[in-house]
Amino acid sequence: MKYGLQMFSVRDVTEQDMEGALRQVAEMGYASVEFAGFMGHPAEQIKAWLDQYGLEVSGTHTGMALLTDELLEETIAYHKAIGCKNIIVPYEKFATKADIDAFVDRVKVIEPKLKEAGITLQYHNHDHEFKPNEDGLIAEEELLQRTDILLEVDTYWVYAAGKDPVEFLKEHKDRIQVIHLKDGKGGHTCASLGQGIAPVAEVRKAALELGLDMVVESEGLEPTGMEEVKRCIDFLKAEDEKDGI
């Protein structure tokens, strides 16, 4: 089974040694990476490292600040150069109705331009999108009802918000292509896969049944990012072995 890694998980390495980080995660057995910034490296260099270590790029976490009118074409060009077809907005506060309205309006402007370039636009949730904001709105519901944006479902944050991540995936499978497979110990305390209380094994099985791509994210740097993501891939290899994959 092929699994991806969100490179934020090893930010303690990427900030100083992007190439070394890519090499190490490839050696562990990750098949693809999802970037959380490029640390100033030009697209040609990133693409060369991906090719060198046999990695695909599944997507990038790219904030709305890089999707303004002034920067959109540059952002698209960078993604095309590295062979990336998915831009994922990693976080928005959505504190008020005005925040949601502004985001929805901007999505309606940029999504057609990205689609024309062969790039999908997705949104990565935390837990606050499932709770009423200052104006009583549930941001995740607003995005589902008012936009066509795809959802990169962070399954731990769905769980932390008090929802069943497996049921959420099944309910919204038509809006989902990729998930974050993540574990945690409750609240905002994350953990390596299999070392928390989230239903990681069940989420993995549901993703397999639904044909969803899985990207691992482990945020704690405990004691280092590389050690965390090694525990995660070892957990997944063991699950694959149980399933005869």
Side-chain angles (χ1 to χ4, degrees), residues 49-190:
W49 286 333
L50 291 170
D51 291 345
Q52 181 177 351
Y53 299 115
L55 290 166
E56 297 179 2
V57 53
S58 63
T60 71
H61 273 196
T62 298
M64 295 298 279
L66 293 175
L67 301 174
T68 61
D69 288 340
E70 295 76 16
L71 295 176
L72 183 60
E73 291 307 316
E74 181 181 334
T75 298
I76 288 173
Y78 195 108
H79 282 70
K80 283 187 170 183
I82 65 170
C84 182
K85 296 182 178 180
N86 299 296
I87 285 179
I88 302 136
V89 178
Y91 176 83
E92 287 287 317
K93 287 182 67 174
F94 295 133
T96 65
K97 181 179 184 298
D99 290 342
I100 296 173
D101 290 346
F103 183 81
V104 168
D105 289 345
R106 186 60 186 162
V107 164
K108 289 179 179 178
V109 171
I110 63 177
E111 194 169 35
K113 296 178 180 179
L114 292 173
K115 186 176 182 180
E116 186 177 347
I119 297 172
T120 70
L121 183 64
Q122 307 187 29
Y123 181 76
H124 165 270
N125 65 277
H126 290 73
D127 57 344
H128 68 277
E129 293 90 348
F130 295 89
K131 302 172 183 177
N133 69 4
E134 294 174 17
D135 293 321
L137 297 176
I138 306 295
E140 197 80 3
E141 293 179 1
E142 295 293 310
L143 296 186
L144 282 164
Q145 294 168 9
R146 298 173 59 188
T147 75
D148 295 323
I149 198 169
L150 294 176
L151 307 179
E152 179 184 58
V153 179
D154 188 305
T155 56
Y156 175 69
W157 289 128
V158 173
Y159 175 81
K163 307 289 184 182
D164 182 335
V166 171
E167 289 306 311
F168 188 82
L169 295 180
K170 291 178 178 178
E171 182 179 357
H172 300 292
K173 61 182 184 297
D174 294 338
R175 294 284 289 272
I176 304 166
Q177 293 180 353
V178 60
I179 68 168
H180 270 188
L181 194 58
K182 184 192 293 183
D183 207 345
K185 299 181 179 180
H188 288 191
T189 303
C190 297

